[in-house]
Amino acid sequence: MVQEELILLNRARSLEQDALVEIHEQYYTPIYRYISFRVSDSQSVEDLTSEVFLRLLNALRDHNAPQNTLRGWLYGVASNIVKEYYRQKKRANLAALDESIPSNGRSLHQQLESKLLGEKLLTVMKDLTEDQQNVLALRFGFEMPIKEVAAVMGKSEGSVKMLQARAVASLSNRIPAGAMAA
Amino acid sequence: MKLIQEELFLVCLEALENGESVEQILNRYPDFVDELRPFLVTAVQLPQLAHQPTLAAQQTSQQRFLQQAAELRKSAKSRSAWHRLRPVLAPLASLVMLLLVSVSLITASNAALPGDALYGTKRLFESFRLTRTGDVEVLQQQTQNERRREVDAVLQSDRNVWVEFEGTIETMQGEMWLVSGIAVQVDSFTRIKGDRQVGAWVRVNGRVHDGILRALSVTVLTADQSPTFTPTVPAAMGTALPTETAVPSPTATTEPVSPTATPLPKDNGDDDNTNNNDDDNSNNDVDDNGNDNSGDDDIVNDNNDDNSNDNSGDDDNINDNDGDDNDNANDNSGDDNVNDNDDGDNTNDNSDDDDDSNDNDGDDNSNNSGDDNANGNDDDDNANDDSGSDNSNDNDDANDNDDNSGSGSNENDNDNDISGSDGSGDNDNDNGGYSSGGDGDNNNDNDDI
């Protein structure tokens, strides 16, 4: 996997069209999901996700492109973009309701309840530490394995597991018991 | 959070990742259901918090991404074209500048006279042209014409400079000579080499002062009027002239300079004529003294009236010493070929191996040692083999004559000495075999084993 990523990266350095298309297709969804874990407004998530790839182009042009791993570099840029977003917007409340309700095969009632819980979770997410937010966003948004999360965050796997457990526990402590649906 | 709870949370999260349901996990830990349930429910919700992008959003993002990339490629191409050309253009520009400067320098130096800053440059370009251009004789003539023109120009100026030129002696009236139309003052301080006479081609070195050229030296190059080219590369880029060897008396009739009395001419390094160092070609000079052809690859050294010609280096070819050559200690060592020593040659010591075709004609004395081959010793040879059909004559202590293949010969080892190792005093009719070398072998000593 790493070798394939390096080959792709080398091709991208020369701004090869096919390589850039491949990069966008491979990483757009994980980056989008990561940012969506931390930013509730869907339009903002789209804009911020697109910005990550534009910054990749600039890095390739300026010869500051990642040397060893593309995923980790993209995560780092996405994380910085999200920070910049909150610095600029200073938003701490729930994002505007997203009209698109993922179904995942559930009934409408279940979907609505899930959406409400999700919105609550996103709201209280801001109360977590930066590392805790990143761990949850990488694990459940980017869908990154523990080992890789440890690598990009510069932590041990044990630390990442503990961060994750504490983040979940903290979230669960902040959600009223009645809002939880099994 | 209690430590036990943290450990339990880690285990439960791992169980969820392994696909266990919330109820399955809670059933495993019934004592911790109240703490675990909210935790596990939250953990299960988390993956659903992340949204999936719409296709439109992805397409819009990709379009913007690739458009930006295209613009970057365009600007990168124009930058790299220059970067690619620069390594070529930069040295090319330097070369063009260098050529322009060189052309300007050559043009500016063409008019330079002795004493000018660019005069040395001018002489350097002349020498360079002579080594590169095909028609050497024409260029040589042009060069000499230029030297005379320069002297004319200098004489008409207030310059106080050294000059050098070649020309024909037209008149010699007391201390004023006319050499190719140029008035030259020749006095008691002038060193004259060679047989000065009207019509002789000479090289004049002197100093111009107050419009008068006072000769420091006059060297006769050829007795007739044919010019001999001897280009002189300035020793320095300035007005200094090469030093000349001294002549005993400027008023005495010209005599051959004793090689032992005359110091060797100046060594002018590579590609020099007249004084013959490495890589010298076609040196056809007269009255060259002390020519030390010590370097390799000396070709066609035709020295007339030359003394002390020591061809000591290897690969000396066609060393033809003609005329009245005296004291020719011609030591043809190494791989010397076709050594033709004509009349009046003395002390020709062909002492080394592989000397071929040593044809000693005329009055040749004390010749031929070592492994000399095909030595045809003709008439009037002393202490040598006579005119018979002599082959492979190994002349050791003289007079090893016809059919003498033996060694250790003595005087008068004469006819019919056929092979064998003859002892001392072998005389006529010593046939075959070998003796124990008794003394006083007389006629009809038919020696047997």
Side-chain angles (χ1 to χ4, degrees):
Chain A
M1 183 64 174
V2 174
Q3 188 65 21
E4 290 170 3
E5 198 175 77
L6 286 176
I7 292 172
L8 188 58
L9 202 50
N10 282 333
R11 288 167 55 204
R13 285 201 181 92
S14 56
L15 299 178
E16 184 187 312
Q17 175 99 350
D18 291 343
L20 294 175
V21 167
E22 198 173 326
I23 286 173
H24 193 275
E25 286 179 356
Q26 189 171 335
Y27 295 106
Y28 181 82
T29 299
I31 294 292
Y32 184 97
R33 285 170 57 83
Y34 168 85
I35 294 177
S36 69
F37 213 89
R38 301 185 60 190
V39 175
S40 54
D41 176 44
S42 59
Q43 186 59 53
S44 297
V45 172
E46 288 178 13
D47 293 340
L48 296 177
T49 303
S50 185
E51 180 63 23
V52 169
F53 290 94
L54 293 179
R55 291 198 184 185
L56 173 63
L57 281 177
N58 291 337
L60 291 171
R61 177 200 62 194
D62 299 337
H63 305 288
N64 291 329
Q67 297 297 317
N68 299 317
T69 169
L70 188 53
R71 280 160 66 92
W73 189 89
L74 288 170
Y75 148 72
V77 170
S79 176
N80 289 334
I81 285 177
V82 167
K83 284 184 205 172
E84 290 168 17
Y85 169 79
Y86 281 113
R87 274 201 292 272
Q88 290 175 8
K89 299 293 182 183
K90 292 181 182 172
R91 290 171 65 173
N93 297 319
L94 276 171
L97 282 174
D98 189 348
E99 297 300 324
S100 66
I101 302 173
S103 63
N104 297 330
R106 293 177 293 172
S107 68
L108 188 60
H109 176 71
Q110 286 173 322
Q111 291 173 34
L112 190 58
E113 282 185 341
S114 175
K115 184 170 170 28
L116 288 172
L117 177 58
E119 288 172 0
K120 285 186 177 127
L121 282 172
L122 281 174
T123 303
V124 299
M125 190 79 72
K126 313 300 182 291
D127 297 332
L128 301 180
T129 67
E130 181 74 23
D131 279 350
Q132 287 175 342
Q133 290 185 52
N134 266 330
V135 166
L136 294 181
L138 287 171
R139 289 284 294 123
F140 302 109
F142 212 111
E143 294 178 319
M144 208 180 267
I146 291 278
K147 188 176 179 180
E148 203 168 331
V149 172
V152 297
M153 291 186 70
K155 295 180 184 302
S156 66
E157 289 183 39
S159 298
V160 170
K161 286 179 182 175
M162 190 57 70
L163 265 174
Q164 180 180 246
R166 287 176 181 172
V168 173
S170 183
L171 280 177
S172 66
N173 289 337
R174 285 170 168 75
I175 300 295
M180 291 295 178
Chain B
M1 186 178 357
K2 294 176 185 177
L3 186 61
I4 191 169
Q5 282 180 323
E6 283 186 345
E7 289 296 325
L8 201 53
F9 288 152
L10 287 173
V11 171
C12 290
L13 282 178
E14 195 167 339
L16 275 178
E17 285 179 22
N18 290 336
E20 289 188 49
S21 68
V22 171
E23 290 307 320
Q24 285 175 315
I25 297 171
L26 289 174
N27 287 338
R28 205 183 310 145
Y29 306 102
D31 295 337
F32 299 95
V33 170
D34 291 339
E35 293 92 348
L36 288 179
R37 184 179 294 278
F39 177 85
L40 288 171
V41 168
T42 302
V44 166
Q45 288 293 322
L46 287 175
Q48 298 173 35
L49 291 184
H51 295 164
Q52 286 291 118
T54 63
L55 186 59
Q58 186 167 356
Q59 286 175 341
T60 303
S61 173
Q62 181 170 301
Q63 194 174 6
R64 189 176 165 200
F65 180 56
L66 295 179
Q67 191 175 354
Q68 181 72 4
E71 287 175 14
L72 287 179
R73 274 196 296 271
K74 199 195 252 183
S75 64
K77 264 184 195 170
S78 60
R79 269 205 314 273
S80 74
W82 165 243
H83 283 301
R84 275 201 303 274
L85 282 175
R86 193 164 68 175
V88 174
L89 287 179
L92 196 61
S94 302
L95 185 62
V96 168
M97 283 301 299
L98 185 65
L99 283 172
L100 285 173
V101 168
S102 300
V103 167
S104 303
L105 200 58
I106 293 171
T107 307
S109 69
N110 276 345
L113 294 175
D116 289 342
L118 288 178
Y119 187 66
T121 306
K122 175 182 179 179
R123 296 295 296 271
L124 189 65
F125 284 138
E126 281 179 358
S127 299
F128 180 79
R129 274 204 304 271
L130 284 164
T131 63
R132 295 290 182 267
T133 314
D135 200 338
V136 176
E137 284 189 16
V138 170
L139 274 179
Q140 289 170 2
Q141 188 61 50
Q142 288 174 350
T143 302
Q144 286 306 320
N145 291 342
E146 178 62 15
R147 293 290 88 77
R148 288 192 289 275
R149 188 200 70 78
E150 288 168 1
V151 173
D152 271 337
V154 165
L155 284 170
Q156 292 170 29
S157 69
D158 288 332
R159 295 179 183 232
N160 183 356
V161 292
W162 290 96
V163 295
E164 176 189 84
F165 74 98
E166 292 181 10
T168 305
I169 299 177
E170 296 175 352
T171 62
M172 294 189 295
Q173 295 178 349
E175 287 191 347
M176 291 306 296
W177 295 12
L178 199 65
V179 179
S180 291
I182 297 174
V184 180
Q185 181 178 335
V186 178
D187 55 24
S188 59
F189 295 100
T190 306
R191 288 170 284 189
I192 302 177
K193 290 170 53 179
D195 184 11
R196 54 182 172 171
Q197 56 182 315
V198 172
W201 185 261
V202 297
R203 182 185 306 124
V204 177
N205 288 298
R207 189 175 185 90
V208 173
H209 182 64
D210 291 336
I212 297 175
L213 170 54
R214 187 178 173 198
L216 181 67
S217 71
V218 176
T219 304
V220 177
L221 301 176
T222 54
D224 58 23
Q225 295 189 30
S226 59
T228 301
F229 175 66
T230 51
T232 304
V233 176
M237 296 299 184
T239 59
L241 293 174
T243 54
E244 300 292 345
T245 55
V247 172
S249 167
T251 57
T253 53
T254 304
E255 293 171 355
V257 179
S258 165
T260 58
T262 306
L264 289 175
K266 181 183 174 185
D267 180 1
N268 292 315
D270 292 343
D271 295 324
D272 286 341
N273 300 299
T274 309
N275 291 313
N276 306 320
N277 293 299
D278 295 342
D279 298 322
D280 292 337
N281 302 309
S282 300
N283 297 309
N284 295 309
D285 298 321
V286 293
D287 295 331
D288 291 336
N289 300 311
N291 292 311
D292 179 12
N293 293 314
S294 59
D296 296 337
D297 299 322
D298 291 338
I299 301 171
V300 190
N301 295 307
D302 180 10
N303 297 306
N304 296 322
D305 297 325
D306 292 335
N307 302 307
S308 298
N309 294 310
D310 179 14
N311 294 312
S312 60
D314 294 336
D315 297 324
D316 291 338
N317 301 310
I318 314 176
N319 295 307
D320 182 7
N321 295 306
D322 299 323
D324 298 323
D325 294 334
N326 298 310
D327 194 18
N328 293 311
N330 293 313
D331 179 12
N332 294 310
S333 57
D335 297 325
D336 294 335
N337 302 308
V338 191
N339 296 306
D340 182 10
N341 295 308
D342 292 334
D343 296 349
D345 292 340
N346 300 310
T347 318
N348 295 309
D349 179 16
N350 295 311
S351 59
D352 290 323
D353 298 337
D354 298 323
D355 291 338
D356 300 315
S357 301
N358 295 310
D359 182 10
N360 295 307
D361 298 323
D363 297 323
D364 295 333
N365 301 307
S366 301
N367 296 309
N368 310 317
S369 60
D371 294 330
D372 295 335
N373 302 310
N375 296 310
N377 295 309
D378 296 331
D379 294 338
D380 299 323
D381 293 338
N382 298 312
N384 289 312
D385 189 358
D386 57 14
S387 60
S389 57
D390 296 333
N391 301 308
S392 302
N393 293 311
D394 182 6
N395 294 312
D396 293 336
D397 298 325
N399 299 321
D400 186 1
N401 297 312
D402 292 344
D403 299 327
N404 289 319
S405 60
S407 60
S409 59
N410 298 296
E411 293 184 350
N412 302 317
D413 185 4
N414 297 312
D415 292 342
N416 304 317
D417 182 5
I418 300 171
S419 70
S421 55
D422 296 326
S424 60
D426 290 340
N427 296 309
D428 293 340
N429 303 316
D430 184 359
N431 298 307
Y434 60 88
S435 69
S436 58
D439 294 332
D441 290 340
N442 299 310
N443 294 334
N444 303 315
D445 181 3
N446 297 307
D447 292 329
D448 294 320
I449 298 173

